[in-house]
Amino acid sequence: MILAISGSARVAVTMKTKNGAQVPATEAVPGTDQPLAIRELADSDASCWDAFVLQCPGATFFHRAGWKRVTEEVFGHRSWFLYAERGGAIEGVLPLAQVRSTLFGNALVSLPFCVYGGVASESAEVADALERTAEDLARRLGVEHLELRNVESRHPDWPRQDLYVTFRKEIVPKADDNLLAIPRKQRAMVRKGIKNGLRSEIDADAGRFFDLYSDNVHRHGTPALPKRYFETLMATFGQDCEVLTVTDAAGNPVSSVLSFYFRDEVLPYYAGDALAARELAANDFKYWELMRRACERGCKVFDYGRSKRGTGSFDFKKNWGFAPQPLSYEYRLYRRDAIPQNNPSNPKYKAFISLWRKLPRGLANRLGPYIVRNLG
């Protein structure tokens, strides 16, 4: 059943999703003749959903329909991928998933494991209708809060998480010009990597990447996402999800990055490295190789991704000449008084991080997915 919104009238129709939740009707979109319907994404709708996302200026890679499969199959989170349709055409989308945990609370999020989210729509009126539907769903589910990971602010009066920033920069058409645009110190590190005989390769699977990634996060004292997650990302998004691995002169993998491609953008998203990477300048070389290859592929934007203020990754990206851009993670609080701080910067996790570093890596990799699935 759909949620219908027509003309200037209010309706009392509800949409019953396949997850069993009732989503009540919201207000009409003013000034329109045809009814607007809020629907839940079905497998048969995925191509239309993605066609809309591809052309909608406010949409991101993380609005793609494939995240529904990833969220449900890998992590077991209930999802509601809502879209607004009028006259057979999609006018807006809002992907949502419920993350429910004894340790970290109960939330409705757009979207867990994604740095961008919230509504992507063709008008503010459609965005408002989708958000009202999400708020009604959140209340019916009894979650503690609704979290919309917006790139730009939509609700200045809502509580906001100001911990995160993103880094984006233009890729110019000539590869050499991109190298010269890197600040001198980091450019010297790229050239050091070249002199050290480093090479970059595109991997057919997530094997080498996962070994480096899981070792890296273990050294930092945080649980690793399961290998199955990365395999599912590659299977779901195909050529738009790519692993680049850097090897030393002897052919040993020393640094790796899993990246997404969306429209004319490349988004390095997950990364890992060996202890030898710093001495070899492998990380700077890795991102340069990714930028160079993306330039050859015709990409125009390098999205260095999200970082927390005051961290090493924040400083690394600034040193590459990228300017931080604040992200607007906005919240509706229902059964809590403050925004949750489920991240390693929270002092209350200091003891856990210290303990996690002491675990054998094999044991940490087995236990990690049970913890990190609820962090999102």
Side-chain angles (χ1 to χ4, degrees), residues 161-178:
Q161 173 72 273
D162 61 359
L163 180 64
Y164 298 107
V165 300
T166 190
F167 295 83
R168 291 166 56 84
K169 192 175 181 181
E170 179 188 8
I171 299 175
V172 295
K174 294 183 179 179
D176 289 346
D177 291 341
N178 287 301

Side-chain angles (χ1 to χ4, degrees), residues 163-164 222 307-311 341-350 353:
L163 180 64
Y164 298 107
T222 55
S307 290
K308 293 184 288 291
R309 300 177 189 274
T311 63
Q341 299 294 332
N342 298 330
N343 64 78
S345 298
N346 190 330
K348 76 176 184 179
Y349 297 127
K350 184 177 181 180
I353 291 172

Side-chain angles (χ1 to χ4, degrees), residues 131 135 146 148 150 155-160 330-332 334:
E131 286 183 346
E135 291 187 64
L146 168 67
L148 301 180
N150 301 324
H155 303 282
D157 56 327
W158 286 21
R160 174 180 163 177
E330 297 173 340
Y331 294 75
R332 273 299 211 194
Y334 302 111

Side-chain angles (χ1 to χ4, degrees), residues 113-226:
F113 305 101
C114 299
V115 297
Y116 309 141
V119 170
S121 73
E122 294 183 344
S123 70
E125 292 82 5
V126 171
D128 290 342
L130 282 164
E131 286 183 346
R132 285 192 293 268
T133 305
E135 291 187 64
D136 289 335
L137 176 61
R139 294 188 186 96
R140 286 174 175 264
L141 292 173
V143 300
E144 295 171 8
H145 68 272
L146 168 67
E147 177 182 351
L148 301 180
R149 298 180 176 178
N150 301 324
V151 176
E152 298 180 353
S153 177
R154 276 189 43 80
H155 303 282
D157 56 327
W158 286 21
R160 174 180 163 177
Q161 173 72 273
D162 61 359
L163 180 64
Y164 298 107
V165 300
T166 190
F167 295 83
R168 291 166 56 84
K169 192 175 181 181
E170 179 188 8
I171 299 175
V172 295
K174 294 183 179 179
D176 289 346
D177 291 341
N178 287 301
L179 181 59
L180 292 174
I182 300 172
R184 181 178 58 83
K185 184 176 180 181
Q186 301 309 124
R187 188 166 66 247
M189 293 295 286
V190 172
R191 288 175 170 154
K192 178 181 177 181
I194 295 172
K195 289 179 182 178
N196 284 331
L198 301 182
R199 297 176 61 87
S200 69
E201 302 168 351
I202 302 301
D203 290 358
D205 57 49
R208 296 196 298 180
F209 163 81
F210 184 76
D211 287 343
L212 292 163
Y213 157 80
S214 60
D215 181 53
N216 181 276
V217 296
H218 184 246
R219 295 198 309 267
H220 286 84
T222 55
L225 289 155

Side-chain angles (χ1 to χ4, degrees), residues 291-302:
M291 184 180 290
R292 180 185 65 79
R293 288 172 178 267
C295 176
E296 293 175 352
R297 187 166 166 164
C299 291
K300 298 179 180 179
V301 176
F302 193 92

Side-chain angles (χ1 to χ4, degrees), residues 36-39 49 52-53 55-56 63 81-86 89-95 118-123 126-127 130:
L36 184 78
I38 306 297
R39 301 180 183 271
W49 174 295
F52 170 80
V53 166
Q55 60 82 34
C56 179
H63 288 90
F81 276 47
L82 305 179
Y83 66 93
E85 180 188 58
R86 192 198 325 266
I90 294 179
E91 296 187 12
V93 300
L94 175 55
V119 170
S121 73
E122 294 183 344
S123 70
V126 171
L130 282 164

Side-chain angles (χ1 to χ4, degrees), residues 236-302:
T236 300
F237 297 114
Q239 65 180 5
D240 294 331
C241 178
E242 182 182 86
V243 169
L244 180 147
T245 298
V246 171
T247 60
D248 63 16
N252 302 307
V254 290
S255 191
S256 189
V257 58
L258 183 148
S259 303
F260 300 131
Y261 287 88
F262 181 69
R263 294 195 286 240
D264 59 356
E265 303 178 8
V266 59
L267 300 84
Y269 201 63
Y270 292 106
D273 56 47
L275 285 171
R278 181 184 294 268
E279 182 180 349
L280 293 169
N283 291 328
D284 288 283
F285 177 82
K286 172 180 65 183
Y287 290 114
W288 160 244
E289 280 292 284
L290 179 63
M291 184 180 290
R292 180 185 65 79
R293 288 172 178 267
C295 176
E296 293 175 352
R297 187 166 166 164
C299 291
K300 298 179 180 179
V301 176
F302 193 92

